[in-house]
Amino acid sequence: MFLYCGIACRRKFFWCYRPLSTYVTKTRYLFELKEDDDACKKAQQTGVFYLFHGLAPLLQTSAHQYLAPRHSLLELERLLGKFGQDAQRIEDSVLIGCSEQQEAWFALDLGLDSSFSISASLHKPEMETELKGSFIELRKALFQLNARDASMLSTAQALLRWHDAHQFCSRSGQPTKKNVAGSKRVCPSNNIIYYPQMAPVVITLVSDGTRCLLARQSSFPKGMYSALAGFCDIGESVEETIRREVAEEVGLEVESLQYYASQHWPFPSGSLMIACHATVKPGQTEIQVNLRELETAAWFSHDEVATALKRKGSYTQQQNGTFPFWLPPKLAISHQLIKEWVEKQTCSSLPA
Ligand SMILES: NC(=O)C1=CN([C@@H]2O[C@H](COP(=O)(O)OP(=O)(O)OC[C@H]3O[C@@H](n4cnc5c(N)ncnc54)[C@H](O)[C@@H]3O)[C@@H](O)[C@H]2O)C=CC1
Ligand SMILES: [Mg+2]
């Protein structure tokens, strides 16, 4: 593709242009689709659609995994026609990405109330039969999806949920209007622009040098422990949230912290998980669990955590009445954070 970047570099007496990489071309294309309604409408003609119903994605089962089927605009129009729905409903769809070949990906919820249709939710079982799949709650399906589908469906669900919850301007009370891509909504009466939001959440793995601290909320599946998590309060930096959450939940003071990685997380309604390692002073490790937030918290050795990382989620009660200790699945950033800690500990204990 003969696309050249706008920033030219001057060498001796002539201008030379650097061809744009596939990645840059793709991001520029997505940017254009968000800014230009006509370009985005055109992209729908050759794009594909992922379908949802009441925020549950349409999935098909294949060898213990879920797959997210894709539909063309033509197939979608045919489906809506068959169920007596207005094809204008497609205007509710949101842009969620594109391939390297610039095939645009959209998501559409057929079950949420729409200005173009009010009875779509009545057809759910018939639609499932027609589409040869089921609309399955994302919470149940997330860990049986491949990483690409999991990430895309999480983004799609968060965006669809945001649009559903921002149908009206909070100042004028008038209906807001989304742009074609769904990257914003505007109130026609006062031109206030609303952009999709997500909540920043810190997730911290606290260590005392040899052990790490893991906790459970009563809502977690039996036996599962995770790192400490908490929403950022308004006005806080990430560092301040980590110090406050660790103090609030387990009564310890953080000595040092180090950023690890981040992840978009679709629950409860679209969060940016910011994962960090933190340490406490070796002598100051007595946990005081805040029982309003946590069921329990404890220090775990390297070997206990390394064994638990290999264990798949299990709800089977053991003979002594307890449940096996296990950790969140690979897809969750908490798993990756804990795994990195185990690997670092293993390296530091190897003889030099
Ligand atoms: N991806 C991952 O690996 C993990 C993700 N998480 C996510 O982190 C999130 C936060 O962890 P928690 O310990 O529950 O947080 P938390 O310790 O801040 O407690 C939750 C409470 O914070 C308050 N809160 C403040 N701002 C909020 C907002 N924007 N949305 C909802 N509640 C808000 C509510 O009162 C809520 O009950 C969880 O919802 C969970 O989905 C948690 C562990 C692992
Ligand atoms: Mg918490």
Side-chain angles (χ1 to χ4, degrees):
M1 183 169 293
F2 298 101
L3 269 174
Y4 294 92
C5 65
I7 308 156
C9 58
R10 201 173 171 190
R11 276 202 201 136
K12 292 200 175 165
F13 304 110
F14 56 88
W15 292 88
C16 80
Y17 292 92
R18 174 173 59 86
L20 293 177
S21 71
T22 314
Y23 175 71
V24 174
T25 308
K26 181 177 129 174
T27 59
R28 298 268 170 98
Y29 179 59
L30 281 173
F31 177 78
E32 187 195 339
L33 299 188
K34 287 179 195 164
E35 295 297 307
D36 183 339
D37 282 353
D38 291 336
C40 195
K41 270 206 174 122
K42 201 169 152 214
Q44 288 180 348
Q45 309 285 328
T46 51
V48 291
F49 292 77
Y50 291 85
L51 301 180
F52 284 70
H53 195 287
L55 298 176
L58 175 75
L59 298 172
Q60 291 169 343
T61 316
S62 156
H64 307 298
Q65 259 222 325
Y66 284 126
L67 296 175
R70 301 138 51 99
H71 294 86
S72 68
L73 183 66
L74 215 63
E75 287 168 335
L76 195 52
E77 284 170 347
R78 208 175 296 140
L79 178 83
L80 290 171
K82 184 160 185 177
F83 288 94
Q85 303 291 312
D86 195 324
Q88 256 195 307
R89 199 183 171 104
I90 295 167
E91 290 180 25
D92 289 335
S93 63
V94 293
L95 176 72
I96 53 168
C98 80
S99 71
E100 291 189 346
Q101 291 73 36
Q102 300 191 350
E103 172 196 65
W105 304 329
F106 296 89
L108 175 65
D109 197 303
L110 299 168
L112 296 175
D113 282 347
S114 157
S115 45
F116 306 114
S117 161
I118 47 164
S119 57
S121 52
L122 299 176
H123 300 299
K124 187 175 161 196
E126 291 89 339
M127 279 187 181
E128 289 181 320
T129 310
E130 178 73 20
L131 295 164
K132 298 184 181 64
S134 308
F135 294 104
I136 299 173
E137 251 186 78
L138 191 56
R139 223 176 241 284
K140 286 189 191 147
L142 194 66
F143 299 117
Q144 276 154 275
L145 287 164
N146 65 44
R148 197 196 74 139
D149 282 356
S151 158
M152 200 158 48
L153 295 181
S154 297
T155 305
Q157 194 208 46
L159 199 50
L160 290 167
R161 178 186 277 118
W162 181 83
H163 279 284
D164 186 47
H166 291 80
Q167 305 271 321
F168 296 91
C169 173
S170 57
R171 181 160 295 252
S172 69
Q174 296 295 312
T176 52
K177 192 173 179 329
K178 85 182 236 312
N179 66 340
V180 176
S183 57
K184 60 187 169 192
R185 297 189 76 91
V186 182
C187 173
S189 73
N190 55 25
N191 291 326
I192 293 180
I193 306 173
Y194 294 90
Y195 294 99
Q197 290 163 345
M198 55 184 174
V201 175
V202 295
I203 176 144
T204 312
L205 186 63
V206 177
S207 163
D208 68 350
T210 54
R211 302 170 299 171
C212 75
L213 197 160
L214 298 167
R216 305 189 16 86
Q217 291 180 13
S218 53
S219 59
F220 284 7
K222 300 281 183 213
M224 192 190 90
Y225 282 69
S226 187
L228 301 175
F231 290 92
C232 294
D233 276 353
I234 202 139
E236 272 182 339
S237 65
V238 167
E239 293 83 345
E240 284 166 340
T241 308
I242 290 174
R243 287 181 202 283
R244 176 183 55 75
E245 279 293 333
V246 173
E248 236 174 61
E249 297 196 346
V250 292
L252 294 173
E253 279 201 42
V254 164
E255 188 185 42
S256 70
L257 51 93
Q258 190 187 17
Y259 172 78
Y260 164 62
S262 66
Q263 174 189 51
H264 172 259
W265 190 242
F267 315 117
S269 54
S271 307
L272 175 64
M273 304 293 307
I274 304 156
C276 294
H277 292 284
T279 58
V280 289
K281 287 195 182 130
Q284 295 172 15
T285 55
E286 195 191 326
I287 301 170
Q288 287 178 24
V289 178
N290 181 343
L291 294 171
R292 287 178 69 172
E293 300 222 26
L294 299 176
E295 184 183 274
T296 184
W299 291 103
F300 291 85
S301 71
H302 169 270
D303 288 355
E304 285 173 306
V305 178
T307 309
L309 269 179
K310 292 181 199 135
R311 210 170 271 146
K312 288 254 165 67
S314 159
Y315 302 91
T316 323
Q317 204 163 7
Q318 298 171 129
Q319 274 185 345
N320 63 4
T322 62
F323 288 84
F325 161 48
W326 59 285
L327 297 164
K330 276 188 190 144
L331 204 73
I333 199 160
S334 44
H335 180 104
Q336 301 303 328
L337 181 69
I338 296 166
K339 185 164 165 256
E340 200 207 35
W341 178 82
V342 165
E343 285 164 1
K344 271 191 183 162
Q345 292 289 112
T346 311
C347 290
S348 63
S349 64
L350 289 175

